[in-house]
Amino acid sequence: EVSWDDVQQFIDKLNRQTGQRYRLPTEAEWYAACQAGSRHEYCGSDSIDAVAWYRENSSDDGTHPVGQKQANAWGLYDMLGNVGEWTADCWNPDHRGAPAQGLAREDGDCWLRAVRGGAWDDAPVGLRAAYRVGSPVVVRLYSRGFRVVREE
């Protein structure tokens, strides 16, 4: 239940406390991390149940602790399902005109940000690596979360 704005405040505090540089992943980085160099249908497996919490297997109506499902080839858990993850990119309806080298999109509708991965209450169609939605930066939904990237 964190908004994009909440995440930015958390990251600012994390950066100050650690002296490191953390940020949200771009959509391109998130997609590459999800796929982990594989061609599986569900980012680590051809079986959605092996890697994701979603509508059909989340009978308790809520999020689950990370790491209870199979990791992808890079050891990343819960890339699909559980919570939809905020990315750094402003919302655009498609990837035409996206910057090269995986940079975040700073054009388009920046009141909306791209969310990837689907959540525990989504149907399987929302849990594919390519599926994405735009969400207002101030909205706190029970099905929104995030992961951070540390820059070297």
Side-chain angles (χ1 to χ4, degrees):
E1 289 189 34
V2 293
S3 71
W4 192 88
D5 288 341
D6 293 337
V7 174
Q8 297 311 303
Q9 291 175 10
F10 172 84
I11 290 172
D12 287 343
K13 186 175 182 177
L14 180 63
N15 289 342
R16 284 192 312 274
Q17 287 182 347
T18 64
Q20 301 284 323
R21 172 88 175 109
Y22 293 91
R23 60 176 173 77
L24 284 174
T26 67
E27 276 199 88
E29 288 171 328
W30 186 95
Y31 182 81
C34 189
Q35 292 292 77
S38 74
R39 298 217 183 264
H40 292 290
E41 188 171 2
Y42 295 105
C43 294
S45 178
D46 289 326
S47 167
I48 190 172
D49 286 309
V51 295
W53 293 109
Y54 66 108
R55 183 182 300 161
E56 277 77 28
N57 68 5
S58 289
S59 60
D60 63 350
D61 294 330
T63 59
H64 299 267
V66 172
Q68 293 184 337
K69 295 289 185 177
Q70 174 184 316
N72 70 11
W74 291 351
L76 299 173
Y77 291 90
D78 298 298
M79 290 299 300
L80 299 177
N82 217 13
V83 294
E85 298 181 6
W86 291 107
T87 69
D89 291 57
C90 295
W91 178 251
N92 283 272
D94 56 46
H95 295 295
R96 282 180 284 189
Q101 292 83 35
L103 299 173
R105 288 200 78 163
E106 297 295 330
D107 65 324
D109 186 351
C110 292
W111 170 247
L112 301 175
R113 295 290 172 149
V115 175
R116 303 298 293 259
W120 62 266
D121 61 343
D122 285 332
V125 69
L127 276 74
R128 297 188 186 278
Y131 188 81
R132 52 197 289 277
V133 297
S135 187
V137 297
V138 296
V139 169
R140 289 184 182 110
L141 290 177
Y142 58 87
S143 60
R144 290 285 184 271
F146 67 101
R147 70 179 70 223
V148 295
V149 173
R150 185 178 56 139
E151 293 183 351
E152 296 294 321

